[in-house]
Amino acid sequence: MTVGRFRSSCPVASVIVLLLLQVLLIPAPTEASPDRCRQVRSLRDEIAGYRPVVERVLSYVQDQKGYKGKTWTALSEFTDTFGSRLAGTQNLENSIDFMLNRLRAWHLDNVHAERVIFTGWQRRKEFATLVSPRVKNLAMLGLGGSVSTAPEGIRAEVVVVTSFEDLINKSSQVSGKIVVYNQPYVSYGETVVYRSMGASAASKYGAVATLIRSITPFSLNSPHAGQQSYSDGVKKIPTACITVEDAELLNRMYNRGSKLEIFLKMDSKFFANATSRNTVAEIKGTTNPDKIVLVSGHLDSWDVGQGAMDDGGGAFISWNSLVVLKNLGLRPKRTIRCLLWTAEEEGYIGAYAYLKGHKSELEKFNLVIESDEGTFQPYGIQFHGSETSACIMAEVAK
Amino acid sequence: MTVGRFRSSCPVASVIVLLLLQVLLIPAPTEASPDRCRQVRSLRDEIAGYRPVVERVLSYVQDQKGYKGKTWTALSEFTDTFGSRLAGTQNLENSIDFMLNRLRAWHLDNVHAERVIFTGWQRRKEFATLVSPRVKNLAMLGLGGSVSTAPEGIRAEVVVVTSFEDLINKSSQVSGKIVVYNQPYVSYGETVVYRSMGASAASKYGAVATLIRSITPFSLNSPHAGQQSYSDGVKKIPTACITVEDAELLNRMYNRGSKLEIFLKMDSKFFANATSRNTVAEIKGTTNPDKIVLVSGHLDSWDVGQGAMDDGGGAFISWNSLVVLKNLGLRPKRTIRCLLWTAEEEGYIGAYAYLKGHKSELEKFNLVIESDEGTFQPYGIQFHGSETSACIMAEVAK
């Protein structure tokens, strides 16, 4: 299993290229070595032969008279119209219906939805207040999948930790307390483990709740939401994110020896057998219609924003890539299938459902592309796959 | 009247240097010309003679074993302990008492408070919701001095404007509507006029309320607060700031021709004959104790933050500059007076009260320094004063 990273000049967006199974296995990355790529030298001419097509696509999407700005405009209308699209809400179902109509209106092939059944989670009333040594409301967001507090809430003393190591050092003080994590932000990928595992780690030592510094380098009284999951065998305790500045404030007060007390009240709802839909559209391939290149993003979002970046942008560049080919009358050899996943935020629920439903056809998927890291100026392509595939990607990305 | 701007190497903070009367008169700026400064050449030797003292102060405040970090630490403890300090609240009065004790503990001279009487304003319940074409809560902050809505709130159609010119162009559509200002951010100084005057400008044409894009280049669902005032002769209408992203959202929807309706409910309280205090401390001058150099910042803040930047930092560098001199055993020729203003946020109320109370001694004030633009890396000194004074300042700042 080989993983390569290549600089790309792709003007549409940063994308992650993955083979479907390997998304779920998460392989260890190694660099594609030029020496190992000798075997694909015979492919160079074919790849180079597509240059005129690439140029045509690029000039079309960069030209004001062509497709330039159309994806952004469509996305802004979509997010402005539907707002947040949490899995299990009417907002999401309405936006899926809208997308199905839109994809049909563009005369894409095989437009349909595939049902996904899951247990949903919904935020209801929630708040956190520092009550001692002074009263201060803490801006917070309960984390996806968090249990509620008792209806009367929790009032408890606070232990502030700055890392999992620090938690272990202070573990004898944690029982019956609210643990506040004030871990420094390193990167989303590295730091998010505090959000996803923080509650379980503290619950092991008897914490009654956790409040976790938002996984962001910066906030303006704006906590950041996200999913978390409980480890097996630990008591499920309520958990929420607080802002960077409040985490720092609590840390400073704690380090000065103040006895901190927080009152926390959280109420969320789980609903089993919720349904939603993965949305599918295609351009059928000419010579190899049974081989599939999958391009994808997710339509659902958290409940506290408009989901324009996470992941409206990814979803819209995916289906618009089909529209661009259609508009230019370009027909690929393989089928290009666009997947707009559902319930991604709750833990890739739509993707897992799709994998389960299509397990028998896995060998058909030649390439799976997902974009969910924001649609900024692209800085590269991340690729997981065989050494041969890595070499082909390296050649394409040149 | 001459105004000069000089680059300064002052390591403490960016400061604004003003002659007290001229703060209130706001003179037009002109550059100090080197040619005109010939007259102060005789002062050069004296100013240059203070270099060893300047070096001693600089090395003390930059040295870990000296005063380095002490101002920041004191400020963080202060803001963490007292939180927001809106004029008229017990928080502010407690923090003034704390400061008086602190200044006395440092054995500064003539530590006392001077009473200020004013009409206070306090935010109570407030919210704004886009109700059509879809429901979305708008993060908002009622502006200081805004009147309340009727108890049942206001539901009205929206007109979005992007400038005062645009308001005039659309003035025939404004009657009975809520005007949303989505002016682009140029700079705080230039753009803040929309916050301070936006309600009155729209009220002239019969608007029932205004919502104004926050005066900031950037927000994360975080509206920015501030004071506004009604012009004479217009009906006072409720007014609040909304976030940059919501103002942009409403603007996009409006430009697409959507009929927007907003429900606004605001409740604030005015209380006459509120009292607070300007806080004073001094180092008495040796040769000219009756001549005064005033250094200042304001202790009060808005109610929705901790007031660390606005203006804890300015207040703390002001009184700490006296402490640094005291610690080094340095005695100035003139008296250095530290003023920690009160009720600045409501429109310089403490400063106006001080001016009124000390009108007869105005000629004593040789230099008035205020710091209220944030305590970042300093980038210069802004000076308002006579040509002679400007030339002296230019020489000092070299």
Side-chain angles (χ1 to χ4, degrees):
Chain A
M1 191 179 297
T2 308
V3 176
R5 270 164 196 270
F6 315 106
R7 303 293 301 176
S8 151
S9 62
C10 160
V12 183
S14 56
V15 290
I16 307 174
V17 182
L18 312 130
L19 281 179
L20 187 59
L21 269 174
Q22 291 162 3
V23 179
L24 310 171
L25 296 173
I26 309 168
T30 59
E31 285 297 320
S33 147
D35 295 342
R36 295 188 199 147
C37 285
R38 273 177 214 145
Q39 68 221 58
V40 292
R41 282 196 180 148
S42 59
L43 279 167
R44 281 193 189 165
D45 284 352
E46 188 185 346
I47 291 169
Y50 294 123
R51 172 58 62 186
V53 178
V54 171
E55 299 290 353
R56 205 175 145 207
V57 170
L58 286 182
S59 77
Y60 181 63
V61 300
Q62 289 171 343
D63 187 357
Q64 211 68 258
K65 288 178 202 152
Y67 209 72
K68 185 172 182 173
K70 288 201 163 47
T71 308
W72 189 94
T73 303
L75 175 61
S76 72
E77 286 190 31
F78 175 80
T79 54
D80 292 352
T81 303
F82 294 104
S84 67
R85 304 174 302 279
L86 188 69
T89 62
Q90 196 57 47
N91 271 16
L92 176 59
E93 296 312 304
N94 291 345
S95 71
I96 292 171
D97 289 340
F98 172 90
M99 278 311 308
L100 287 165
N101 287 330
R102 198 80 180 257
L103 296 167
R104 284 189 194 105
W106 282 107
H107 301 293
L108 295 173
D109 304 325
N110 192 22
V111 175
H112 68 281
E114 300 187 14
R115 190 155 297 275
V116 175
I117 298 173
F118 63 100
T119 295
W121 179 90
Q122 198 180 14
R123 179 192 324 280
R124 292 193 288 197
K125 285 237 163 172
E126 56 182 19
F127 66 91
T129 306
L130 176 69
V131 286
S132 176
R134 70 174 169 95
V135 174
K136 182 187 191 298
N137 289 328
L138 307 171
M140 57 83 87
L141 283 173
L143 290 174
S146 174
V147 295
S148 306
T149 61
E152 68 275 17
I154 294 170
R155 180 180 169 137
E157 210 184 314
V158 170
V159 174
V160 181
V161 301
T162 56
S163 65
F164 287 127
E165 294 69 42
D166 194 25
L167 172 70
I168 292 166
N169 290 338
K170 293 170 179 164
S171 57
S172 64
Q173 305 156 45
V174 163
S175 183
K177 310 266 175 69
I178 293 173
V179 169
V180 170
Y181 285 91
N182 182 40
Q183 77 289 339
Y185 179 81
V186 181
S187 69
Y188 189 80
E190 267 185 74
T191 314
V192 76
V193 65
Y194 284 93
R195 189 187 76 206
S196 50
M197 319 265 286
S200 294
S203 177
K204 274 185 206 158
Y205 304 114
V208 293
T210 53
L211 295 173
I212 294 153
R213 172 174 161 151
S214 289
I215 313 305
T216 170
F218 176 73
S219 57
L220 282 175
N221 203 36
S222 42
H224 178 261
Q227 185 70 11
Q228 69 89 42
S229 52
Y230 298 106
S231 306
D232 290 337
V234 301
K235 191 182 173 199
K236 294 178 179 183
I237 59 174
T239 182
C241 267
I242 56 174
T243 66
V244 174
E245 55 271 39
D246 279 342
E248 289 278 10
L249 166 73
L250 297 171
N251 199 13
R252 286 194 304 271
M253 292 174 123
Y254 180 80
N255 286 346
R256 287 183 203 123
S258 297
K259 186 180 166 187
L260 307 181
E261 285 185 322
I262 285 176
F263 180 70
L264 178 70
K265 203 162 167 179
M266 289 173 64
D267 182 20
S268 58
K269 189 178 121 188
F270 291 87
F271 42 102
N273 298 317
T275 60
S276 187
R277 292 164 288 168
N278 286 322
T279 303
V280 187
E282 289 180 347
I283 295 184
K284 273 273 171 249
T286 49
T287 54
N288 293 301
D290 268 0
K291 291 187 172 169
I292 296 161
V293 169
L294 193 148
V295 293
S296 69
H298 65 89
L299 268 190
D300 66 296
S301 77
W302 277 110
D303 54 342
V304 288
Q306 296 220 113
M309 269 290 180
D310 185 7
D311 181 36
F316 271 55
I317 60 170
S318 296
W319 68 265
N320 276 279
S321 65
L322 273 63
V323 170
V324 164
L325 295 180
K326 190 95 189 171
N327 287 359
L328 291 173
L330 293 167
R331 288 288 300 276
K333 290 181 183 169
R334 295 174 184 80
T335 292
I336 300 188
R337 181 176 295 170
C338 170
L339 243 300
L340 306 178
W341 309 109
T342 199
E344 189 274 349
E345 296 296 3
E346 288 74 11
Y348 313 107
I349 292 173
Y352 278 108
Y354 192 80
L355 179 64
K356 203 173 162 194
H358 294 262
K359 225 165 197 165
S360 62
E361 336 158 52
L362 275 187
E363 74 286 350
K364 287 185 184 175
F365 292 87
N366 282 185
L367 184 66
V368 174
I369 303 179
E370 199 222 358
S371 173
D372 189 19
E373 294 202 347
T375 44
F376 308 96
Q377 184 76 16
Y379 61 88
I381 291 177
Q382 208 175 61
F383 177 84
H384 299 235
S386 71
E387 194 172 314
T388 310
S389 316
C391 288
I392 296 171
M393 282 306 301
E395 191 61 34
V396 170
K398 265 179 188 167
Chain B
M1 192 179 297
T2 307
V3 176
R5 268 166 199 270
F6 316 105
R7 303 293 303 176
S8 149
S9 61
C10 159
V12 182
S14 57
V15 290
I16 307 173
V17 182
L18 312 130
L19 281 181
L20 188 59
L21 268 175
Q22 290 162 2
V23 179
L24 310 169
L25 296 174
I26 308 167
T30 58
E31 286 296 322
S33 148
D35 293 344
R36 295 190 198 145
C37 285
R38 274 178 213 143
Q39 67 221 60
V40 293
R41 279 195 182 149
S42 59
L43 280 166
R44 279 190 192 168
D45 285 351
E46 188 184 349
I47 291 169
Y50 293 123
R51 172 60 60 185
V53 177
V54 171
E55 299 290 354
R56 203 176 147 206
V57 170
L58 287 182
S59 78
Y60 182 62
V61 300
Q62 289 171 344
D63 187 355
Q64 212 66 260
K65 288 178 203 152
Y67 210 71
K68 186 173 183 173
K70 289 204 163 45
T71 308
W72 190 92
T73 303
L75 175 61
S76 72
E77 284 190 31
F78 175 79
T79 53
D80 292 351
T81 303
F82 295 104
S84 66
R85 305 174 301 278
L86 188 69
T89 62
Q90 196 56 46
N91 271 16
L92 177 59
E93 294 312 304
N94 291 345
S95 71
I96 292 170
D97 289 339
F98 172 89
M99 279 310 307
L100 286 165
N101 287 331
R102 199 78 178 260
L103 296 167
R104 283 189 194 107
W106 283 107
H107 302 292
L108 295 173
D109 304 325
N110 192 22
V111 175
H112 68 282
E114 300 186 14
R115 190 155 296 274
V116 175
I117 298 173
F118 62 100
T119 294
W121 178 91
Q122 198 180 15
R123 180 192 321 283
R124 291 193 288 196
K125 284 235 163 176
E126 54 182 20
F127 66 91
T129 305
L130 177 67
V131 286
S132 176
R134 69 175 170 96
V135 174
K136 182 186 191 299
N137 289 328
L138 306 172
M140 57 83 87
L141 283 173
L143 290 174
S146 173
V147 294
S148 305
T149 61
E152 67 274 17
I154 294 170
R155 180 182 169 134
E157 211 182 314
V158 169
V159 173
V160 181
V161 302
T162 55
S163 66
F164 287 126
E165 293 70 42
D166 194 23
L167 172 70
I168 293 166
N169 289 339
K170 293 170 179 163
S171 57
S172 63
Q173 305 157 44
V174 162
S175 182
K177 310 267 175 68
I178 294 173
V179 169
V180 170
Y181 285 91
N182 182 42
Q183 77 289 340
Y185 179 81
V186 181
S187 69
Y188 190 79
E190 268 186 72
T191 314
V192 75
V193 65
Y194 284 93
R195 190 187 74 206
S196 50
M197 319 267 287
S200 295
S203 178
K204 274 185 206 158
Y205 304 114
V208 293
T210 53
L211 295 173
I212 293 151
R213 174 173 159 152
S214 289
I215 313 305
T216 169
F218 175 74
S219 57
L220 281 176
N221 204 35
S222 42
H224 178 259
Q227 186 69 11
Q228 70 89 43
S229 51
Y230 297 106
S231 306
D232 291 337
V234 302
K235 191 181 172 201
K236 295 177 179 184
I237 58 174
T239 182
C241 267
I242 57 173
T243 65
V244 173
E245 56 270 38
D246 278 343
E248 289 278 9
L249 167 72
L250 297 171
N251 198 15
R252 286 194 302 272
M253 291 175 123
Y254 180 81
N255 286 346
R256 286 182 202 121
S258 297
K259 185 179 164 188
L260 307 181
E261 285 184 323
I262 285 176
F263 180 70
L264 178 70
K265 203 162 167 178
M266 288 172 64
D267 182 20
S268 58
K269 189 178 122 187
F270 291 87
F271 43 102
N273 298 317
T275 60
S276 187
R277 293 164 286 169
N278 286 324
T279 303
V280 186
E282 288 181 348
I283 296 185
K284 273 272 171 251
T286 48
T287 54
N288 292 303
D290 266 0
K291 292 188 174 170
I292 295 161
V293 169
L294 193 149
V295 292
S296 68
H298 63 91
L299 268 191
D300 67 296
S301 77
W302 277 108
D303 54 343
V304 289
Q306 296 219 112
M309 269 291 181
D310 184 7
D311 181 36
F316 271 54
I317 61 170
S318 296
W319 70 263
N320 276 278
S321 65
L322 273 63
V323 170
V324 164
L325 295 181
K326 190 93 190 172
N327 287 359
L328 291 173
L330 292 166
R331 287 288 298 277
K333 290 183 183 167
R334 295 172 182 82
T335 292
I336 301 188
R337 182 176 295 172
C338 170
L339 243 299
L340 305 178
W341 309 109
T342 200
E344 189 273 352
E345 295 296 3
E346 288 74 12
Y348 313 107
I349 291 174
Y352 278 108
Y354 191 80
L355 178 64
K356 203 174 161 193
H358 295 262
K359 225 165 198 166
S360 63
E361 336 158 52
L362 275 186
E363 73 287 349
K364 289 185 184 175
F365 292 87
N366 283 185
L367 183 66
V368 174
I369 303 180
E370 198 222 358
S371 172
D372 188 19
E373 295 203 344
T375 42
F376 307 97
Q377 183 75 18
Y379 61 87
I381 291 177
Q382 209 176 62
F383 177 84
H384 299 234
S386 70
E387 196 172 313
T388 310
S389 316
C391 288
I392 295 171
M393 282 307 298
E395 192 61 32
V396 169
K398 264 179 188 169

